[in-house]
Amino acid sequence: MTERLSPDEAGLARAADLLRGGGLVAFPTETVYGLGADATNGTAVAGIYEAKGRPSFNPLIVHVASLTQAAELVELSAEAERLAAAFWPGALTMVLPARPGNGIASLASAGLPSLGIRLPAHSLARQLLEATGRPVAAPSANPSGRVSPTTAEHVLAGLSGKIAAVLDGGACDVGVESTIIGLTGAPALLRAGGIPAEAIEACLGAPLAPPPANASPTSPGQLASHYAPTGTIRLDAEAARPGETFLGFGPSAADLNLSSSGDLTEAAANLFACLHQLDAMGATRIAVAPIPDHGLGRAINDRLRRAAAPRP
Ligand code: TXA
Ligand code: MG
């Protein structure tokens, strides 16, 4: 049963409690309603994909309550500070180098060394972020493939029964998602959105580079920068062959296990950390146990198939 919370002190306190406990809470921002989870809790983040029925993992935007909190999570360049001063709080997301050991679950950034971060302007969103005291990962609060929600009714129509609560703040003002600027290299427009690219260019005093050709926002799971381990990957392996490192699923002997109890939510939460660990172990040939192809298993298999595909 999804709770519908009123935009008052009690509703905010309940929403923050649910988030801190690993629950999923939809909340209003000035752009669209976000489906929030504690970004430091991998299992909670995995729940976002489960609730949305999303068949692939893409990096999520992490929402913060203050510039100070942002500076703890990412490296703010001079350009980033200038954009933050001009457009935060607001409908601007910046993709910046993540600070090592920032505590963000690797699933939230899909294993990438960068993090998409936003300080929203909506007063309820800000109060919720402050009350929660944690960074909150939040994509739009709609089932995969459906229109982004701009009212609590939209959220419930798509996700009722699948999330803990929705904080009802009425209709969103902007109605389109935030503008995403990549700042890990030359400033680039990664997604057009609520703030015009021209305004950002005027602030930077320089034109934005177009998005990399294969980073289409309609297929974020195909971002070229998506993390893949160095070793080659063999899927649906019942056991390791000589020289292979075995990534298991379920109760079998393995070098590393996505979930020894065979739990898909746990496996999703562990996926990118395991792939990084295989690199750290120096694995050159990786065998992966079969993963059931339902629920979150579809997104896990999608990512593993991409990692196993021949590389350009
Ligand atoms: O307005 C919005 O931005 C809404 C509200 C809820 O804040 N949120 C939203 O989040 O649209 P989401 O998670 O759907 O946006 C994810 C997109 C990815 O598809 C990708 O394009 C970009 O943000 N992104 C996030 N982190 C990234 C990263 N590390 N590198 C590249 N792109 C990233
Ligand atoms: Mg969306």
Side-chain angles (χ1 to χ4, degrees):
M1 188 34 204
T2 298
E3 296 175 37
R4 185 176 184 140
L5 303 172
S6 51
D8 53 22
E9 213 171 301
L12 277 164
R14 176 75 182 145
D17 272 354
L18 287 166
L19 281 172
R20 277 197 302 267
L24 301 180
V25 177
F27 63 98
T29 80
E30 68 276 31
T31 59
V32 300
Y33 273 72
L35 179 55
D38 175 356
T40 66
N41 178 337
T43 306
V45 174
I48 289 178
Y49 292 96
E50 197 159 41
K52 283 179 69 91
R54 208 169 188 290
S56 62
F57 298 123
N58 64 320
L60 302 175
I61 294 170
V62 170
H63 299 70
V64 292
S66 66
L67 192 57
T68 313
Q69 194 182 19
E72 286 166 12
L73 303 177
V74 293
E75 321 254 2
L76 291 172
S77 60
E79 280 158 335
E81 280 182 356
R82 187 166 344 150
L83 291 179
F87 300 108
W88 276 3
L92 171 71
T93 295
M94 293 192 272
V95 174
L96 292 160
R99 281 192 188 281
N102 64 8
I104 299 292
S106 62
L107 187 60
S109 63
L112 296 171
S114 57
L115 196 66
I117 197 155
R118 174 158 108 82
L119 174 52
H122 196 289
S123 71
L124 270 180
R126 299 195 64 188
Q127 290 173 72
L128 177 63
L129 290 164
E130 264 159 38
T132 305
R134 312 248 171 99
V136 171
S140 54
N142 52 288
S144 179
R146 302 256 290 273
V147 178
S148 295
T150 52
T151 65
E153 287 75 24
H154 295 165
V155 174
L156 288 168
L159 296 175
S160 183
K162 298 188 167 153
I163 62 177
V166 56
L167 183 62
D168 187 353
C172 303
D173 294 337
V174 180
V176 296
E177 278 96 342
S178 60
T179 301
I180 304 181
I181 303 298
L183 291 166
T184 53
L189 179 67
L190 300 185
R191 180 176 78 186
I195 292 177
E198 292 79 1
I200 291 163
E201 291 179 327
C203 174
L204 290 173
L208 290 167
N214 46 4
S216 158
T218 54
S219 54
Q222 288 161 14
L223 283 176
S225 51
H226 247 198
Y227 181 75
T230 313
T232 59
I233 294 185
R234 183 168 68 88
L235 300 175
D236 292 320
E238 293 298 341
R241 296 173 184 159
E244 284 182 336
T245 305
F246 193 56
L247 177 61
F249 176 81
S252 61
D255 298 295
L256 265 183
N257 209 318
L258 287 165
S259 166
S260 45
S261 63
D263 179 72
L264 287 169
T265 305
E266 185 185 13
N270 286 338
L271 176 65
F272 290 99
C274 281
L275 296 180
H276 279 287
Q277 207 176 326
L278 287 163
D279 272 351
M281 291 161 74
T284 53
R285 291 165 54 218
I286 300 159
V288 186
I291 314 289
D293 204 38
H294 59 79
L296 282 175
R298 286 190 303 147
I300 295 171
N301 282 323
D302 170 79
R303 178 92 296 271
L304 289 170
R305 273 193 299 271
R306 289 175 201 281
R311 311 213 180 129

